[in-house]
Amino acid sequence: MILITGSNGQLGKELSLSLKDAILTDVKELDITNEKKVKDFVNEKKIDLIINCAAYTAVDKAEDDEDLANKINALGPKNLAMTGAKIIHISTDYVFDGMHNIPYTPDDKTNPISVYGKTKLDGENAIIKYAKEYVIIRTAWLYSSYGNNFVKTMIKLGKEKEVLDVVSDQIGTPTYAFDLKEAIIQILPKLNKKTSGIYHFTNEGVASWYDFARKIMELSKIKCLVYPISSSQYKTKAKRPFYSILDKAKIKSIFNLKIEHWEDALKRCLEKMSV
């Protein structure tokens, strides 16, 4: 039996639509920060595989709410891993400091520069320490037709405003949650001791948030003008990695995945949203 935690989030929703027999939980149904409740739930429901999509993702709020971010992002994964079930755990590019100029491989040195990144790295380390068989998937810039995300925000603002300023000096790859879900489904039957490890998954290609915003306006046929600004002109509480391109060679090779370019993935998402 498969358990999906964080099932109300973007990725959790995508997975729940494909894995019809999975048990779906969000914080109301299962508090992953409670070790006893997690253990009892997994035993009672006879769970043998967990896909952990639960996370504290409010990057700026985490700077002031480190305790809760740590409970959800670090203690929660530890509790899930200690049940003995196989686990697919979703992590983030924020475990890196963004000072690279070539794509990060899963083996590259981590150095988080925010509370969010640090707690997510602690969660990874807990999975590695306590889970018998696991796949950790670091992803970045996730969006979907479900939930709140950058694509929906840009469409809303683009319809309300004539001009938008968007950061152009943070580089990454937009990732459609539907495509990450498809990758996870391909990984499920191949998860074993031999394939256990850390992997990277995003769509293909490279973009800044400015590039991403412009493409959203273009494909949505919204006339709002988008202008580039620097991160120093858009102050946030938490530091963001300037460069977070993730090298996907390992996940493509081990699990025989074909990954689409981010612009093609965005088109499919917008079509689904009927924008």
Side-chain angles (χ1 to χ4, degrees):
M1 181 61 74
I2 295 174
L3 166 66
I4 300 171
T5 59
S7 63
N8 289 340
Q10 297 182 90
L11 180 59
K13 183 70 175 170
E14 295 282 7
L15 283 160
S16 68
L17 293 170
S18 291
L19 300 171
K20 304 284 190 189
D21 296 330
I23 294 173
L24 312 178
T25 65
D26 216 277
V27 65
K28 284 181 184 172
E29 295 81 32
L30 178 63
D31 178 3
I32 65 168
T33 69
N34 186 312
E35 184 183 347
K36 186 178 185 305
K37 283 185 179 173
V38 168
K39 190 177 179 183
D40 291 348
F41 189 95
V42 168
N43 288 338
E44 185 188 316
K45 304 287 186 185
K46 296 181 169 56
I47 305 295
D48 47 30
L49 191 145
I50 300 166
I51 306 174
N52 183 33
C53 303
Y56 185 109
T57 57
V59 176
D60 291 315
K61 276 189 184 174
E63 296 295 310
D64 296 320
D65 203 0
E66 186 167 357
D67 185 54
L68 183 58
N70 189 65
K71 280 179 180 171
I72 297 169
N73 291 344
L75 180 62
K78 178 187 174 184
N79 292 338
L80 295 169
M82 287 175 71
T83 64
K86 293 182 179 183
I87 187 162
I88 294 178
H89 174 70
I90 308 305
S91 193
T92 174
D93 57 311
Y94 278 64
V95 299
F96 298 114
D97 59 18
M99 302 308 285
H100 258 213
N101 56 10
I102 56 171
Y104 283 99
T105 73
D107 297 325
D108 278 329
K109 189 176 184 298
T110 54
N111 184 33
I113 54 174
S114 64
V115 167
Y116 169 68
K118 182 183 179 301
T119 60
K120 289 297 287 182
L121 180 59
D122 289 344
E124 288 187 10
N125 290 332
I127 297 285
I128 293 165
K129 184 174 181 180
Y130 294 104
K132 293 184 179 78
E133 297 177 23
Y134 66 91
V135 162
I136 293 167
I137 303 175
R138 294 177 183 145
T139 190
W141 297 25
L142 205 64
Y143 67 91
S144 165
S145 55
Y146 308 107
N148 298 315
N149 53 64
F150 185 79
V151 173
K152 288 188 175 181
T153 300
M154 286 300 105
I155 290 168
K156 180 177 180 292
L157 292 176
K159 288 176 177 176
E160 293 170 356
K161 299 172 180 273
E162 291 182 3
V163 174
L164 278 177
D165 293 333
V166 181
V167 168
S168 64
D169 57 1
Q170 292 174 26
I171 308 298
T173 309
T175 305
Y176 186 15
F178 179 92
D179 290 2
L180 176 52
K181 175 264 295 187
E182 291 287 291
I184 290 169
I185 287 171
Q186 279 188 248
I187 289 167
L188 285 173
K190 299 175 183 176
L191 202 177
N192 54 45
K193 271 194 163 51
K194 197 176 173 185
T195 58
S196 288
I198 300 174
Y199 296 85
H200 288 171
F201 182 95
T202 62
N203 281 108
E204 296 284 15
V206 175
S208 67
W209 289 109
Y210 163 72
D211 299 326
F212 191 14
R214 282 196 60 178
K215 186 54 68 171
I216 292 164
M217 300 305 169
E218 178 194 318
L219 294 175
S220 306
K221 297 183 169 52
I222 295 172
K223 294 198 166 22
C224 177
L225 294 171
V226 181
Y227 290 111
I229 59 169
S230 68
S231 297
S232 61
Q233 293 172 273
Y234 184 73
K235 298 288 186 188
T236 56
K237 188 135 200 168
K239 286 184 179 177
R240 267 82 170 158
F242 280 109
Y243 181 95
S244 57
I245 308 296
L246 301 178
D247 186 306
K248 299 173 286 291
K250 182 180 175 185
I251 202 167
K252 288 194 280 191
S253 167
I254 301 289
F255 298 110
N256 194 28
L257 296 182
K258 289 183 170 56
I259 303 175
E260 275 208 20
H261 193 276
W262 72 265
E263 290 186 19
D264 298 319
L266 177 61
K267 280 178 199 166
R268 285 188 287 110
C269 181
L270 292 173
E271 282 165 10
K272 189 173 182 180
M273 291 165 64
S274 300
V275 173

